[in-house]
Amino acid sequence: MRPNRPVTAILCAATLALTAAACGPGDGEAGGDAKPTVAVSQPNTDGIKIPDQLKDKLKEHGIDLEKWKGGEWKNWKKEDWLREAGDYINPIIEDLWDPDRMRDAEQPQRPAVDPDAGKDQGVTDPTPAPVAAKQANPPYHQSVPESGKVFFDGPEGSMVCSATVVKDPAHPGKSNMVWTAGHCVHAGKSGGWYRNIAFVPSYNNAGKPAAQLKGAPREQVAPYGVWWSDWAQTSDQWIATGGPTGGAGAPYDFAVLHVTPEKGSGKSLEETVGSALPVEFNAQPVPKVAGITATGYPAAAPFDGQRAFQCTDKPGRLSLNATDPVMYRIGCTMTGGASGGGWVAAGADGKPALVSNTSIGPAKAGWLAGPRLGPEAKGIFDAVSRKFK
């Protein structure tokens, strides 16, 4: 039996191809593992202070916060790249994510995966027919208010994923929790925590194409602010087995972030965006799910990474390993960058609920797969909620 120990992680965006589905600069890929972690905030920034235990954690790793903010975070030497659970630090660097940097973070990584992956393992349904992704109706704050983008830095440069605001049972109506993919926060077996992780709800709310965003003010691309992750967790299975190709760790490729505003407003994320989705951990068996809608910001061609798109389809089953949980799979042409985006279906009460997130897909976009959220996912979710109770 697999352990149900919640662990923290922060991973990178890879691509859609039985490899993590996200994006970054050039044609690289990333996926990976992770563990429980601690996050910190930058001192003297709008009153945000670092707790004493986190100051001690910085000193323990020989990190000078001022040097870090001045560019030391760009040091990706393997021996200096924090990897272990509890080593996660993510100080706020005010205005680091300006509009140009956000836009440039969307160069997609090319996926590479065996199109026959999953055959003859467990229960796998026939490959679904591609479903053409349709642009979400702008303004996104009205049509998909819970959706947004996660930005972060890795050794290859600035990267991006998609994510969803979810409800926090410990803070009804005032959640600061965000759901994304595990590979959007940690580099996996061969690396460590990603850095400068931040969530931007309703990114490019008006849905303008990339050409019209050049020189745009920050308020246009991030109308509801930039929210830095001060804590994150993912599954120990993803940490131990996750990788950029072959679907390794994909059935456990999920993560929960707790966020704090770069420039404090006193309001929670849920209050700021006006909405949050409940998470359904006891979703019906795949064959009984009538339909799932996936939302994300695909960046690889023919998409530009600046606009939100959606696919709706009846899910099938994808089994990558007979001993791992079966995954949801839907037809969808979204590409890298959509990784981590929420999958929504009717919950137990018949109302919309998050039931999965984009994890993997084939090299040639045509379908996406996401993990079913079971005990491991609930353990992580509950741990983050309790941490800030």
Side-chain angles (χ1 to χ4, degrees):
M1 178 177 291
R2 293 192 174 265
N4 185 23
R5 173 171 49 88
V7 234
T8 302
I10 309 280
L11 222 157
C12 147
T15 56
L16 299 172
L18 285 185
T19 162
C23 42
D27 292 327
E29 293 176 13
D33 13 72
K35 297 176 182 179
T37 56
V38 189
V40 302
S41 302
Q42 171 186 356
N44 304 321
T45 299
D46 293 323
I48 296 173
K49 298 180 180 179
I50 298 180
D52 289 340
Q53 69 269 26
L54 296 181
K55 290 180 182 178
D56 293 340
K57 179 66 68 176
L58 289 171
K59 291 178 181 178
E60 178 184 329
H61 292 290
I63 294 173
D64 182 299
L65 190 61
E66 291 307 315
K67 289 182 178 179
W68 181 272
K69 292 186 294 179
E72 182 61 24
W73 63 264
K74 297 177 184 178
N75 173 14
W76 294 99
K77 291 181 181 178
K78 189 146 183 118
E79 62 270 23
D80 297 326
W81 192 1
L82 301 183
R83 163 181 174 77
E84 300 302 323
D87 285 352
Y88 171 51
I89 60 169
N90 196 45
I92 293 175
I93 302 177
E94 190 170 337
D95 297 325
L96 175 70
W97 290 109
D98 60 33
D100 289 339
R101 200 162 188 272
M102 290 184 200
R103 188 177 65 248
D104 293 342
E106 295 166 332
Q107 306 303 314
Q109 294 180 327
R110 297 298 302 172
V113 75
D114 182 351
D116 292 330
K119 290 184 177 178
D120 302 323
Q121 292 179 310
V123 179
T124 293
D125 293 320
T127 302
V131 172
K134 296 182 179 179
Q135 185 179 352
N137 294 323
Y140 301 145
H141 180 63
Q142 294 183 12
S143 61
V144 285
E146 306 89 359
S147 297
K149 300 182 73 170
V150 171
F151 296 91
F152 53 98
D153 285 299
E156 298 83 8
S158 301
M159 297 184 180
V160 67
C161 270
S162 300
T164 308
V165 183
V166 294
K167 291 184 177 297
D168 179 358
H171 299 281
K174 297 183 178 182
S175 175
N176 284 309
M177 292 172 64
V178 174
W179 194 281
T180 189
H183 75 261
C184 295
V185 292
H186 189 285
K189 292 182 293 184
S190 60
W193 300 105
Y194 289 110
R195 299 169 182 170
N196 304 323
I197 300 163
F199 175 66
V200 178
S202 295
Y203 175 83
N204 184 22
N205 187 45
K208 293 186 176 181
Q212 294 182 26
L213 293 180
K214 291 181 179 179
R218 199 183 201 204
E219 294 71 22
Q220 182 174 323
V221 297
Y224 298 95
V226 176
W227 297 71
W228 285 68
S229 172
D230 56 4
W231 189 266
Q233 291 193 212
T234 191
S235 69
D236 51 355
Q237 292 91 340
W238 174 257
I239 291 168
T241 65
T245 59
Y252 302 96
D253 184 14
F254 38 73
V256 179
L257 309 180
H258 185 276
V259 298
T260 188
E262 177 177 298
K263 300 180 180 180
S265 65
K267 288 186 177 182
S268 67
L269 175 60
E270 182 176 1
E271 290 173 301
T272 300
V273 303
S275 186
L277 286 172
V279 183
E280 179 64 70
F281 295 106
N282 296 300
Q284 292 182 314
V286 178
K288 293 186 178 181
V289 179
I292 286 178
T293 296
T295 303
Y297 283 80
F303 306 98
D304 63 10
Q306 307 305 311
R307 293 172 290 182
F309 282 78
Q310 296 181 306
C311 291
T312 299
D313 195 17
K314 179 175 175 57
R317 295 166 291 186
L318 175 65
S319 177
L320 301 177
N321 186 309
T323 62
D324 285 337
V326 70
M327 300 179 73
Y328 291 114
R329 180 163 63 164
I330 62 172
C332 186
T333 60
M334 283 198 288
T335 58
S339 193
W343 289 30
V344 179
D349 60 1
K351 297 180 180 179
L354 186 139
V355 298
S356 185
N357 57 263
T358 297
S359 173
I360 57 174
K364 184 178 180 181
W367 56 263
L368 298 176
R372 286 194 71 206
L373 306 182
E376 296 85 0
K378 190 176 189 306
I380 290 166
F381 177 84
D382 289 346
V384 176
S385 178
R386 286 195 302 267
K387 180 70 180 177
F388 294 87
K389 192 168 183 179

